[in-house]
Amino acid sequence: MKRALIIMTRVPIPGKTKTRLEGYFSKEQCAMLHIAFLKDIYKKCKNTNADVFVFYTPIKHENTLKNIIGNEKRLYPQEGIDLGERMSNAINKCISMGYDHCILIGSDIPTISVSIIEKAFAMLEEKDIAIAPTYDGGYCLIGMKKPYPQIFRDNFYGTDTVYEKTVTNIKRMKLSIGELDKCLDIDVKEDVELLARDIKAGKHCDCTNTKDFLHRVKLLCTSCCIDFIYKR
C-alpha cells in the first residue's frame, strides 16, 4: 500500500505570509512563526509511514523552502487558479504516481500529531474520504483514494462555511466520509494566544520549533501576560 502525505504551504516570506498576524507580530516574525510551523509539521510527517510531498507557492522561492525543511526531493509548485483547484491538482498528481491513499494537510496546524495522520490513513481503509475540521469553520486535512475534483469546487475558501460546503459536496456525491476531531489552525492573534496557553499547560510537547518561537517573543515567559503585543 503506497501512501502519500501532502503539505500545502506558502513559502514563508516576510510580508507575504501570516499577514493577519501583522501588528501583533512584525512581518519578519510572522515569517519566523510560519517557519516554525513548517519545521514542526514536516518533522511529524516524516515520522509517518508515508512519502511526504510539499506543494508550495510562489514557485521562484524553492531554495528558500529547501533551506527550511532540508533537501526534500518531493517539492512541487502549486498549480491552479484558486486554493481548491491547487489542492485538487496536488492530490491528483500523487494519485497519478500510483499512490493508493493520499492525505493533504495545511501548514497552519503545528499541533497536528502523527496519531491524527495515521488515524486518517486508517479511515481510508473503509471510507472514501477522511477529513478534519478546524474551529473556524474550515478544514486542515483531507484524504482520499481517487481524485474527486468536484469536492473542491465552489467552497469559498477563507470563509467559515468551507467545511460545511465541502461535506455537502461529499454527501451529494454519495461518498462515505470519516470525520476526525477538530484541530486548531493558527490565523489570528486569538489562535496564537490559545496555542501559547496550551503549550504553557504542557500540551503539544512535539511542537518544539513553535514553542521556541513563542519563548523568543515572550508569550511563554513566566512573568509575561498572555496578551503581550510585540512593538515593532
Side-chain angles (χ1 to χ4, degrees):
M1 185 70 66
K2 291 184 66 178
R3 309 196 310 178
L5 180 53
I6 297 168
I7 303 171
M8 292 287 287
T9 187
R10 287 183 174 274
V11 179
I13 302 167
K16 301 294 184 181
T17 187
K18 309 308 297 174
T19 54
R20 293 168 68 186
L21 286 170
E22 290 179 12
Y24 187 63
F25 296 130
S26 69
K27 293 179 180 180
E28 291 74 18
Q29 285 183 316
C30 287
M32 289 169 61
L33 179 64
H34 191 173
I35 288 170
F37 288 174
L38 266 178
K39 287 183 174 181
D40 285 335
I41 293 167
Y42 183 74
K43 181 179 179 181
K44 285 182 269 193
C45 287
K46 295 296 282 187
N47 284 330
T48 66
N49 186 24
D51 291 336
V52 179
F53 293 78
V54 180
F55 282 78
Y56 66 93
T57 187
I59 60 175
K60 64 181 180 179
H61 291 282
E62 179 179 338
N63 287 335
T64 301
L65 191 57
K66 285 183 176 180
N67 289 336
I68 295 169
I69 63 174
N71 195 25
E72 172 60 62
K73 296 180 180 179
R74 300 185 184 93
L75 293 177
Y76 295 92
Q78 296 178 16
E79 297 178 350
I81 297 173
D82 58 23
L83 178 58
E85 187 175 353
R86 293 196 296 271
M87 290 193 295
S88 178
N89 288 339
I91 290 173
N92 292 352
K93 187 175 186 69
C94 289
I95 291 175
S96 71
M97 293 178 184
Y99 286 91
D100 303 291
H101 293 172
C102 182
I103 286 175
L104 179 148
I105 63 174
S107 60
D108 297 331
I109 46 168
T111 61
I112 195 166
S113 65
V114 172
S115 63
I116 290 174
I117 295 170
E118 292 293 352
K119 185 176 181 179
F121 275 121
M123 280 183 173
L124 290 177
E125 296 290 339
E126 299 180 355
K127 304 292 186 179
D128 296 313
I129 306 294
I131 191 167
T134 55
Y135 288 98
D136 61 2
Y139 64 89
C140 62
L141 177 155
I142 189 164
M144 56 193 67
K145 296 171 281 192
K146 296 179 181 179
Y148 296 109
Q150 305 95 314
I151 289 175
F152 300 96
R153 293 176 184 158
D154 303 322
N155 285 341
F156 301 97
Y157 291 93
T159 70
D160 60 3
T161 61
V162 174
Y163 181 74
E164 177 186 350
K165 290 180 178 179
T166 301
V167 171
T168 297
N169 284 347
I170 293 169
K171 291 180 178 178
R172 185 181 294 125
M173 296 168 66
K174 300 189 184 305
L175 300 172
S176 57
I177 180 171
E179 298 181 74
L180 295 135
D181 292 337
K182 286 184 179 180
C183 293
L184 174 68
D185 62 342
I186 311 299
D187 293 318
V188 296
K189 72 171 188 175
E190 289 80 9
D191 301 329
V192 176
E193 291 170 350
L194 178 57
L195 175 63
R197 285 198 294 269
D198 284 348
I199 291 177
K200 199 170 182 179
K203 301 177 182 179
H204 314 308
C205 296
D206 53 356
C207 299
T208 54
N209 292 282
T210 301
K211 183 176 180 179
D212 287 346
F213 171 83
L214 295 176
H215 269 298
R216 286 200 296 274
V217 297
K218 303 189 186 306
L219 279 175
L220 293 182
C221 176
T222 304
S223 61
C224 74
C225 177
I226 195 65
D227 65 355
F228 165 86
I229 296 180
Y230 176 80
K231 304 297 184 182
R232 299 191 200 184

